[in-house]
Amino acid sequence: MMSNSCVVDADAMRRFAYVARQAFRELDDAAGATLGTVGLLTDLVPHSAVVHAWCDSVCAAATLVQRNADRFGRLAEHTDRAVGAYLESDLTHSRLFAGLEVRI
């Protein structure tokens, strides 16, 4: 008799998507907080060349962090779609094989 289980560990893939989504949220929050801090510093010391240079560096780093956060978010979305596609495909093939099953 055919099994209705998928050859892909869908639960593991869902956990992976969850971790990717969590990384997205944490990195996104960190980048936002960093940019908020930069804004406060430039308001406190508006004419300092050192603060301005530091803020430029921090903004560049925050941008990189934000891009990585976005990539984790997209990875989670792609993983969710892949899980759905695997499960749908596996179920379809399982039904086809069950229809072809020969009992001896």
Side-chain angles (χ1 to χ4, degrees), residues 48-78:
S48 171
V50 173
V51 170
H52 179 71
W54 181 83
C55 289
D56 285 346
S57 296
V58 170
C59 285
T63 299
L64 291 174
V65 170
Q66 183 62 54
R67 287 181 183 166
N68 286 327
D70 293 342
R71 288 184 181 106
F72 275 111
R74 285 194 302 275
L75 178 61
E77 291 171 9
H78 290 306

Side-chain angles (χ1 to χ4, degrees), residues 4-5 15 17 21 29 43 47 57 69 80 83 88 91 96 99-100:
N4 286 336
S5 66
R15 286 191 304 272
R21 195 169 286 106
D29 290 347
D43 288 345
H47 302 295
S57 296
D80 287 340
V83 168
E88 183 179 327
L91 184 59
L96 287 172
L100 297 174

Side-chain angles (χ1 to χ4, degrees), residues 4-103:
N4 286 336
S5 66
C6 184
V7 295
V8 172
D9 188 347
D11 289 334
M13 288 183 69
R14 285 188 185 109
R15 286 191 304 272
F16 178 76
Y18 174 80
V19 170
R21 195 169 286 106
Q22 183 178 0
F24 161 75
R25 283 191 298 269
E26 290 179 11
L27 288 171
D28 188 51
D29 290 347
T34 300
L35 292 175
T37 302
V38 167
L40 291 173
L41 281 174
T42 56
D43 288 345
L44 289 174
V45 191
H47 302 295
S48 171
V50 173
V51 170
H52 179 71
W54 181 83
C55 289
D56 285 346
S57 296
V58 170
C59 285
T63 299
L64 291 174
V65 170
Q66 183 62 54
R67 287 181 183 166
N68 286 327
D70 293 342
R71 288 184 181 106
F72 275 111
R74 285 194 302 275
L75 178 61
E77 291 171 9
H78 290 306
T79 303
D80 287 340
R81 284 195 296 268
V83 168
Y86 278 127
L87 292 176
E88 183 179 327
S89 174
D90 192 60
L91 184 59
T92 299
H93 288 101
S94 176
R95 287 179 183 150
L96 287 172
F97 286 134
L100 297 174
E101 186 176 338
V102 177
R103 297 181 191 268

